[in-house]
Amino acid sequence: MPFPLRRRPSHRTAVAALALALVTAALAGCTSGAAPDMSTSARPSAPPSSSAPAATAEPSEEPAPVTSPAEPPTPAAPAFDKSALSIDDPASLWVVTDKLRTVNPIDYVPSDLVTVDVASQNPPVFRREAGDALLALFAAGEAEGAGQFQVQSAYRSYATQVSVYQGWVDRLGQAQADIQSARPGHSEHQTGLVADISPIPLSCALQACFGDTAQGQWLAANAWRYGWLLRYPADKTAVTGFTYEPWHFRYVGVPLATEMHTTGVTTLEEFFGLPAAPTYAG
């Protein structure tokens, strides 16, 4: 029996079938994998809330000011040592002799007395250091226009002071003599550290008016530079026990004279904290 003839599919039908197959395959690939998560990474980020504070730029740090290195502190000057020398030993430059304090021993004689080459009314005998300082004092005063100086009185022994004091008693009576002259054993002249000074030509010798002379004024202002102290100031009679003696200068050395000048203390009694000595103890 003859086979029936099979109809060959047309070209248009083949193309349609191929297209259908491709679409079917594509749909199958899309549905076989997991769907992408759009809740996080694929979701566009939300714009910042308007209520949130705006970010501000950090302030830039300014450079620290440049300062010069601090100056090291100036070390304080050491305090003046008031105990460096004795105020009791008659051989000390700082010995204090007044109406309450005698030279001890009472017949003390300095071991280094010299005669100084200066004009004088009485022998210009001093302890060596004081004599050298007196020469420098007189030379400076003359060089600075104060005029010339001379020594009225210098070292006096205990025996000599007995005679001097008695002369004042005979002339003025003991009460007045005691404010004009020291009793034997209480005189600074015995230490060899005192100069009674007068001008050249001689005037106002051992008188208050010496303080008004060019020499007296220069000494009052400058003697400390050479270690000398105006021992009996006008306003300190109640402390020293003696009336104003602008001619009476006591050598104490430059360190002590400078310290007293700097601090404004004018008497040895006050500087060393000693009792005032307006009168003798007995």
Side-chain angles (χ1 to χ4, degrees), residues 146-158:
Q148 294 180 302
F149 304 81
Q150 60 183 319
V151 171
Q152 193 70 26
S153 183
Y155 167 73
R156 292 201 292 262
S157 67
Y158 175 83

mmCIF file with all atom_site columns, all heavy atoms in Angstrom, residues 146-158:
data_model
loop_
_atom_site.group_PDB
_atom_site.id
_atom_site.type_symbol
_atom_site.label_atom_id
_atom_site.label_alt_id
_atom_site.label_comp_id
_atom_site.label_asym_id
_atom_site.label_entity_id
_atom_site.label_seq_id
_atom_site.pdbx_PDB_ins_code
_atom_site.Cartn_x
_atom_site.Cartn_y
_atom_site.Cartn_z
_atom_site.occupancy
_atom_site.B_iso_or_equiv
_atom_site.pdbx_formal_charge
_atom_site.auth_seq_id
_atom_site.auth_comp_id
_atom_site.auth_asym_id
_atom_site.auth_atom_id
_atom_site.pdbx_PDB_model_num
ATOM 1   N N   . ALA A 1 146 ? 86.321 118.274 96.674  1.00 0.00 ? 146 ALA A N   1
ATOM 2   C CA  . ALA A 1 146 ? 85.887 118.632 98.026  1.00 0.00 ? 146 ALA A CA  1
ATOM 3   C C   . ALA A 1 146 ? 86.913 119.470 98.770  1.00 0.00 ? 146 ALA A C   1
ATOM 4   O O   . ALA A 1 146 ? 86.609 120.045 99.817  1.00 0.00 ? 146 ALA A O   1
ATOM 5   C CB  . ALA A 1 146 ? 85.588 117.372 98.828  1.00 0.00 ? 146 ALA A CB  1
ATOM 6   N N   . GLY A 1 147 ? 88.129 119.553 98.269  1.00 0.00 ? 147 GLY A N   1
ATOM 7   C CA  . GLY A 1 147 ? 89.190 120.275 98.965  1.00 0.00 ? 147 GLY A CA  1
ATOM 8   C C   . GLY A 1 147 ? 90.126 119.315 99.673  1.00 0.00 ? 147 GLY A C   1
ATOM 9   O O   . GLY A 1 147 ? 90.061 118.101 99.491  1.00 0.00 ? 147 GLY A O   1
ATOM 10  N N   . GLN A 1 148 ? 90.966 119.890 100.531 1.00 0.00 ? 148 GLN A N   1
ATOM 11  C CA  . GLN A 1 148 ? 91.961 119.077 101.236 1.00 0.00 ? 148 GLN A CA  1
ATOM 12  C C   . GLN A 1 148 ? 91.519 118.777 102.659 1.00 0.00 ? 148 GLN A C   1
ATOM 13  O O   . GLN A 1 148 ? 90.724 119.514 103.258 1.00 0.00 ? 148 GLN A O   1
ATOM 14  C CB  . GLN A 1 148 ? 93.297 119.813 101.247 1.00 0.00 ? 148 GLN A CB  1
ATOM 15  C CG  . GLN A 1 148 ? 93.909 119.976 99.857  1.00 0.00 ? 148 GLN A CG  1
ATOM 16  C CD  . GLN A 1 148 ? 95.235 120.707 99.927  1.00 0.00 ? 148 GLN A CD  1
ATOM 17  O OE1 . GLN A 1 148 ? 95.333 121.837 100.414 1.00 0.00 ? 148 GLN A OE1 1
ATOM 18  N NE2 . GLN A 1 148 ? 96.293 120.044 99.452  1.00 0.00 ? 148 GLN A NE2 1
ATOM 19  N N   . PHE A 1 149 ? 92.067 117.686 103.184 1.00 0.00 ? 149 PHE A N   1
ATOM 20  C CA  . PHE A 1 149 ? 91.690 117.193 104.512 1.00 0.00 ? 149 PHE A CA  1
ATOM 21  C C   . PHE A 1 149 ? 92.941 117.044 105.382 1.00 0.00 ? 149 PHE A C   1
ATOM 22  O O   . PHE A 1 149 ? 94.049 116.886 104.886 1.00 0.00 ? 149 PHE A O   1
ATOM 23  C CB  . PHE A 1 149 ? 91.018 115.821 104.403 1.00 0.00 ? 149 PHE A CB  1
ATOM 24  C CG  . PHE A 1 149 ? 89.816 115.765 103.507 1.00 0.00 ? 149 PHE A CG  1
ATOM 25  C CD1 . PHE A 1 149 ? 89.962 115.646 102.127 1.00 0.00 ? 149 PHE A CD1 1
ATOM 26  C CD2 . PHE A 1 149 ? 88.539 115.817 104.038 1.00 0.00 ? 149 PHE A CD2 1
ATOM 27  C CE1 . PHE A 1 149 ? 88.859 115.579 101.297 1.00 0.00 ? 149 PHE A CE1 1
ATOM 28  C CE2 . PHE A 1 149 ? 87.430 115.751 103.216 1.00 0.00 ? 149 PHE A CE2 1
ATOM 29  C CZ  . PHE A 1 149 ? 87.581 115.627 101.847 1.00 0.00 ? 149 PHE A CZ  1
ATOM 30  N N   . GLN A 1 150 ? 92.706 117.044 106.692 1.00 0.00 ? 150 GLN A N   1
ATOM 31  C CA  . GLN A 1 150 ? 93.769 116.719 107.633 1.00 0.00 ? 150 GLN A CA  1
ATOM 32  C C   . GLN A 1 150 ? 93.169 115.979 108.817 1.00 0.00 ? 150 GLN A C   1
ATOM 33  O O   . GLN A 1 150 ? 91.956 116.011 109.052 1.00 0.00 ? 150 GLN A O   1
ATOM 34  C CB  . GLN A 1 150 ? 94.499 117.972 108.102 1.00 0.00 ? 150 GLN A CB  1
ATOM 35  C CG  . GLN A 1 150 ? 93.627 118.986 108.816 1.00 0.00 ? 150 GLN A CG  1
ATOM 36  C CD  . GLN A 1 150 ? 94.407 120.228 109.196 1.00 0.00 ? 150 GLN A CD  1
ATOM 37  O OE1 . GLN A 1 150 ? 95.559 120.129 109.637 1.00 0.00 ? 150 GLN A OE1 1
ATOM 38  N NE2 . GLN A 1 150 ? 93.810 121.401 109.014 1.00 0.00 ? 150 GLN A NE2 1
ATOM 39  N N   . VAL A 1 151 ? 94.046 115.303 109.552 1.00 0.00 ? 151 VAL A N   1
ATOM 40  C CA  . VAL A 1 151 ? 93.615 114.550 110.726 1.00 0.00 ? 151 VAL A CA  1
ATOM 41  C C   . VAL A 1 151 ? 93.738 115.439 111.954 1.00 0.00 ? 151 VAL A C   1
ATOM 42  O O   . VAL A 1 151 ? 94.805 115.996 112.230 1.00 0.00 ? 151 VAL A O   1
ATOM 43  C CB  . VAL A 1 151 ? 94.468 113.279 110.897 1.00 0.00 ? 151 VAL A CB  1
ATOM 44  C CG1 . VAL A 1 151 ? 94.167 112.607 112.235 1.00 0.00 ? 151 VAL A CG1 1
ATOM 45  C CG2 . VAL A 1 151 ? 94.220 112.321 109.742 1.00 0.00 ? 151 VAL A CG2 1
ATOM 46  N N   . GLN A 1 152 ? 92.655 115.553 112.688 1.00 0.00 ? 152 GLN A N   1
ATOM 47  C CA  . GLN A 1 152 ? 92.668 116.313 113.933 1.00 0.00 ? 152 GLN A CA  1
ATOM 48  C C   . GLN A 1 152 ? 93.125 115.425 115.093 1.00 0.00 ? 152 GLN A C   1
ATOM 49  O O   . GLN A 1 152 ? 93.885 115.852 115.949 1.00 0.00 ? 152 GLN A O   1
ATOM 50  C CB  . GLN A 1 152 ? 91.272 116.868 114.204 1.00 0.00 ? 152 GLN A CB  1
ATOM 51  C CG  . GLN A 1 152 ? 91.212 117.923 115.304 1.00 0.00 ? 152 GLN A CG  1
ATOM 52  C CD  . GLN A 1 152 ? 91.866 119.227 114.874 1.00 0.00 ? 152 GLN A CD  1
ATOM 53  O OE1 . GLN A 1 152 ? 91.930 119.538 113.670 1.00 0.00 ? 152 GLN A OE1 1
ATOM 54  N NE2 . GLN A 1 152 ? 92.366 119.991 115.843 1.00 0.00 ? 152 GLN A NE2 1
ATOM 55  N N   . SER A 1 153 ? 92.657 114.177 115.100 1.00 0.00 ? 153 SER A N   1
ATOM 56  C CA  . SER A 1 153 ? 93.041 113.234 116.153 1.00 0.00 ? 153 SER A CA  1
ATOM 57  C C   . SER A 1 153 ? 92.842 111.822 115.626 1.00 0.00 ? 153 SER A C   1
ATOM 58  O O   . SER A 1 153 ? 91.948 111.579 114.808 1.00 0.00 ? 153 SER A O   1
ATOM 59  C CB  . SER A 1 153 ? 92.201 113.463 117.417 1.00 0.00 ? 153 SER A CB  1
ATOM 60  O OG  . SER A 1 153 ? 92.617 112.614 118.463 1.00 0.00 ? 153 SER A OG  1
ATOM 61  N N   . ALA A 1 154 ? 93.679 110.880 116.122 1.00 0.00 ? 154 ALA A N   1
ATOM 62  C CA  . ALA A 1 154 ? 93.616 109.501 115.637 1.00 0.00 ? 154 ALA A CA  1
ATOM 63  C C   . ALA A 1 154 ? 93.671 108.553 116.845 1.00 0.00 ? 154 ALA A C   1
ATOM 64  O O   . ALA A 1 154 ? 92.872 108.691 117.768 1.00 0.00 ? 154 ALA A O   1
ATOM 65  C CB  . ALA A 1 154 ? 94.746 109.240 114.658 1.00 0.00 ? 154 ALA A CB  1
ATOM 66  N N   . TYR A 1 155 ? 94.598 107.602 116.835 1.00 0.00 ? 155 TYR A N   1
ATOM 67  C CA  . TYR A 1 155 ? 94.698 106.653 117.934 1.00 0.00 ? 155 TYR A CA  1
ATOM 68  C C   . TYR A 1 155 ? 95.039 107.361 119.234 1.00 0.00 ? 155 TYR A C   1
ATOM 69  O O   . TYR A 1 155 ? 95.901 108.255 119.292 1.00 0.00 ? 155 TYR A O   1
ATOM 70  C CB  . TYR A 1 155 ? 95.776 105.608 117.640 1.00 0.00 ? 155 TYR A CB  1
ATOM 71  C CG  . TYR A 1 155 ? 96.153 104.776 118.848 1.00 0.00 ? 155 TYR A CG  1
ATOM 72  C CD1 . TYR A 1 155 ? 95.279 103.803 119.338 1.00 0.00 ? 155 TYR A CD1 1
ATOM 73  C CD2 . TYR A 1 155 ? 97.374 104.975 119.500 1.00 0.00 ? 155 TYR A CD2 1
ATOM 74  C CE1 . TYR A 1 155 ? 95.616 103.045 120.448 1.00 0.00 ? 155 TYR A CE1 1
ATOM 75  C CE2 . TYR A 1 155 ? 97.718 104.214 120.612 1.00 0.00 ? 155 TYR A CE2 1
ATOM 76  C CZ  . TYR A 1 155 ? 96.829 103.258 121.086 1.00 0.00 ? 155 TYR A CZ  1
ATOM 77  O OH  . TYR A 1 155 ? 97.161 102.515 122.194 1.00 0.00 ? 155 TYR A OH  1
ATOM 78  N N   . ARG A 1 156 ? 94.329 106.945 120.288 1.00 0.00 ? 156 ARG A N   1
ATOM 79  C CA  . ARG A 1 156 ? 94.672 107.415 121.634 1.00 0.00 ? 156 ARG A CA  1
ATOM 80  C C   . ARG A 1 156 ? 94.692 106.208 122.569 1.00 0.00 ? 156 ARG A C   1
ATOM 81  O O   . ARG A 1 156 ? 93.740 105.421 122.586 1.00 0.00 ? 156 ARG A O   1
ATOM 82  C CB  . ARG A 1 156 ? 93.647 108.449 122.142 1.00 0.00 ? 156 ARG A CB  1
ATOM 83  C CG  . ARG A 1 156 ? 93.679 109.768 121.398 1.00 0.00 ? 156 ARG A CG  1
ATOM 84  C CD  . ARG A 1 156 ? 93.067 110.906 122.214 1.00 0.00 ? 156 ARG A CD  1
ATOM 85  N NE  . ARG A 1 156 ? 91.636 110.769 122.415 1.00 0.00 ? 156 ARG A NE  1
ATOM 86  C CZ  . ARG A 1 156 ? 90.708 111.400 121.672 1.00 0.00 ? 156 ARG A CZ  1
ATOM 87  N NH1 . ARG A 1 156 ? 91.080 112.191 120.660 1.00 0.00 ? 156 ARG A NH1 1
ATOM 88  N NH2 . ARG A 1 156 ? 89.434 111.257 121.946 1.00 0.00 ? 156 ARG A NH2 1
ATOM 89  N N   . SER A 1 157 ? 95.741 106.092 123.336 1.00 0.00 ? 157 SER A N   1
ATOM 90  C CA  . SER A 1 157 ? 95.859 104.990 124.291 1.00 0.00 ? 157 SER A CA  1
ATOM 91  C C   . SER A 1 157 ? 94.895 105.205 125.454 1.00 0.00 ? 157 SER A C   1
ATOM 92  O O   . SER A 1 157 ? 94.325 106.295 125.630 1.00 0.00 ? 157 SER A O   1
ATOM 93  C CB  . SER A 1 157 ? 97.286 104.893 124.812 1.00 0.00 ? 157 SER A CB  1
ATOM 94  O OG  . SER A 1 157 ? 97.580 106.039 125.601 1.00 0.00 ? 157 SER A OG  1
ATOM 95  N N   . TYR A 1 158 ? 94.748 104.171 126.265 1.00 0.00 ? 158 TYR A N   1
ATOM 96  C CA  . TYR A 1 158 ? 93.916 104.301 127.459 1.00 0.00 ? 158 TYR A CA  1
ATOM 97  C C   . TYR A 1 158 ? 94.426 105.437 128.329 1.00 0.00 ? 158 TYR A C   1
ATOM 98  O O   . TYR A 1 158 ? 93.638 106.274 128.816 1.00 0.00 ? 158 TYR A O   1
ATOM 99  C CB  . TYR A 1 158 ? 93.910 102.984 128.239 1.00 0.00 ? 158 TYR A CB  1
ATOM 100 C CG  . TYR A 1 158 ? 93.164 103.054 129.545 1.00 0.00 ? 158 TYR A CG  1
ATOM 101 C CD1 . TYR A 1 158 ? 91.781 102.910 129.573 1.00 0.00 ? 158 TYR A CD1 1
ATOM 102 C CD2 . TYR A 1 158 ? 93.839 103.257 130.759 1.00 0.00 ? 158 TYR A CD2 1
ATOM 103 C CE1 . TYR A 1 158 ? 91.092 102.986 130.773 1.00 0.00 ? 158 TYR A CE1 1
ATOM 104 C CE2 . TYR A 1 158 ? 93.155 103.324 131.960 1.00 0.00 ? 158 TYR A CE2 1
ATOM 105 C CZ  . TYR A 1 158 ? 91.769 103.194 131.965 1.00 0.00 ? 158 TYR A CZ  1
ATOM 106 O OH  . TYR A 1 158 ? 91.082 103.270 133.157 1.00 0.00 ? 158 TYR A OH  1
#
